[in-house]
Amino acid sequence: MSNTKLVNKAPVVATIVATFLAIIKFVFWILSWSVALLSSAMDSLLDMGVSIFNYFAIKFAQTPADEDHPYWHGKIEGIAATIEWTVITLSGLYIVYESVRKFFHPEPIHHLDWSLIVMIISIIATWGLVWFLTYVYKKTGNLVVKWDSLHYKMDLITNVAVLLTLVVILFFPNLVWLDALIWFIIWIYIIHEAFELIKEWIDLLLDRALPEHDEIEKILEEYSKKWKIKSYHCLRTRAGWNKDKFVEFHFVLDPQTTILKAHEIWDEIEEKIKQLDPDANWYVIWHSDPYDDSDINWCK
C-alpha cells in the first residue's frame, strides 16, 4: 500500500473505532451514571468528529501545488491541529467542571460490572488503534497521524485509569468520590500534553528553523574551506509537509567561477545535507553571489 493510501486510511480507521467506542460508552453510562464513563464517552465522540475532520484536512493537504499555492497545501494540517487542540481543551474544561461538581455531590455508580467490561473493550480497541496509527506515522511521517497517535495514547492512559478507578470502587464503594477526582487529574494531564503538542504545530506554521540548522551551518563552513568559498549568508531552514525540509542559502564565489563549477560545489553540499536525514524530502535552494549582499537582502 502506498504512503498516500496509508495516510488516508488512518483517519477512517480512527473514526470507525471512535464511533464504536462512543456508542457502547454512552449506553453503559446511562446504565451506570459514572462520570468517568460519561467523560470517556464524550471523549470518544469528540475523537470521532476530529478523525472525520482529519480525513478532509489530509485530503486537502494532498492537493497539488497551484499558481496561488506554489508550496502545496500541507500547512492546512497545522490549522487542523490547532482546531483539534482548542476543541479538546474546551471539552476537557467542561469535564473538569462536571468532575468537581460530582466530587462535592457524589452519586452512586450502578452496574459497575458492566462499566468494567466497557473499559476493558475500550482499552483493547484503543491499543490496537494506537499501534496502527504509530505504524502509519513511522511509515509516512504525516504529522496529523502523529498527533492522532499521541492523542489516542492519552485516551489509552485515561481508559486504564478509569478501569483502575472502577475496580477500586468495586471493592471500596465508599470511595465513589474517587471517580471524579481521578478524572480531574487525568484531564489536567491531557490539557498539559495537548499544549506540548500544539507547540510543534505552531513551530510548523511559523516556519521554525530545522533541528539540523546548526549542523547545516557546519557543513557550509566545512565546504567553504574546501572550495575556497569567500563566505555564505542568508541561511534559512524550515520544515514543510510530512517529511519535506527546505534549506536556502547564498554563497559568495569568485566572479570568475563558472556556472559548471558552482553546480559542482552545490551538488556536494546538497548531498552532504541530505545525509543528515536520508528519509526526508530535501529541497536545497542556493544562490551564488559575486559579493556579499546580505545587507540588501536583510539577512546574515
Side-chain angles (χ1 to χ4, degrees):
M1 184 181 294
S2 68
N3 284 356
T4 300
K5 290 183 178 179
L6 202 56
V7 168
N8 290 336
K9 188 175 182 180
V12 174
V13 173
T15 300
I16 293 172
V17 173
T19 302
F20 166 73
L21 293 178
I23 292 173
I24 63 172
K25 287 176 183 177
F26 271 116
V27 169
F28 281 91
W29 166 69
I30 294 173
L31 297 174
S32 64
W33 296 107
S34 163
V35 71
L37 270 182
L38 171 61
S39 302
S40 190
M42 291 185 66
D43 187 49
S44 293
L45 191 63
L46 179 64
D47 292 342
M48 180 183 69
V50 166
S51 294
I52 292 173
F53 181 79
N54 283 346
Y55 174 79
F56 289 104
I58 288 174
K59 293 292 286 185
F60 183 81
Q62 293 169 357
T63 305
D66 53 40
E67 186 176 345
D68 293 327
H69 305 91
Y71 287 97
W72 308 286
H73 300 78
K75 287 191 177 180
I76 187 67
E77 294 184 351
I79 298 173
T82 305
I83 295 173
E84 289 179 36
W85 175 82
T86 303
V87 173
I88 289 171
T89 302
L90 291 176
S91 64
L93 292 175
Y94 170 74
I95 297 302
V96 166
Y97 163 76
E98 286 295 316
S99 299
V100 171
R101 183 186 63 81
K102 191 168 184 180
F103 180 80
F104 290 104
H105 304 284
E107 302 169 2
I109 299 177
H110 305 287
H111 303 294
L112 196 56
D113 51 343
W114 294 354
S115 299
L116 290 172
I117 293 173
V118 172
M119 296 318 300
I120 291 173
I121 294 173
S122 298
I123 290 170
I124 294 173
T126 306
W127 178 85
L129 180 58
V130 168
W131 179 89
F132 174 70
L133 293 175
T134 302
Y135 166 77
V136 174
Y137 168 67
K138 289 181 178 179
K139 188 81 173 176
T140 66
N142 186 277
L143 292 178
V144 168
V145 176
K146 176 185 179 181
W147 201 97
D148 247 5
S149 173
L150 293 174
H151 172 66
Y152 281 107
K153 281 180 184 177
M154 289 188 285
D155 283 355
L156 183 61
I157 293 173
T158 60
N159 287 333
V160 171
V162 169
L163 176 64
L164 294 177
T165 301
L166 294 176
V167 170
V168 171
I169 295 174
L170 178 65
F171 292 100
F172 303 97
N174 292 333
L175 297 180
V176 66
W177 52 268
L178 190 65
D179 179 37
L181 178 62
I182 293 298
W183 196 252
F184 178 81
I185 295 172
I186 289 171
W187 265 112
I188 291 177
Y189 165 75
I190 288 177
I191 292 174
H192 172 265
E193 289 299 306
F195 177 76
E196 292 299 315
L197 288 173
I198 201 63
K199 289 197 296 186
E200 181 177 354
W201 292 105
I202 292 174
D203 285 344
L204 175 64
L205 292 175
L206 295 180
D207 290 327
R208 185 181 179 87
L210 293 174
E212 299 92 347
H213 186 93
D214 290 342
E215 295 177 79
I216 293 172
E217 266 193 317
K218 292 178 182 178
I219 291 173
L220 293 180
E221 290 172 1
E222 173 190 343
Y223 279 88
S224 292
K225 295 176 182 177
K226 177 179 178 180
W227 290 100
K228 297 182 179 179
I229 296 172
K230 293 183 177 180
S231 64
Y232 70 88
H233 53 275
C234 291
L235 172 61
R236 298 186 181 97
T237 63
R238 67 180 179 89
W241 180 53
N242 284 353
K243 294 185 177 182
D244 293 343
K245 295 186 177 183
F246 295 87
V247 179
E248 302 175 21
F249 60 88
H250 295 196
F251 53 81
V252 181
L253 297 174
D254 187 297
Q256 303 303 316
T257 305
T258 65
I259 295 178
L260 182 62
K261 191 65 176 180
H263 267 279
E264 185 180 349
I265 297 171
W266 173 75
D267 285 341
E268 276 202 36
I269 294 174
E270 181 185 33
E271 286 306 311
K272 188 72 173 181
I273 290 174
K274 287 181 176 180
Q275 291 174 17
L276 296 175
D277 185 359
D279 294 327
N281 303 316
W282 288 94
Y283 297 87
V284 183
I285 304 169
W286 64 281
H287 175 77
S288 59
D289 291 318
Y291 57 87
D292 189 337
D293 61 353
S294 55
D295 291 338
I296 300 174
N297 290 292
W298 297 88
C299 61
K300 61 180 181 178

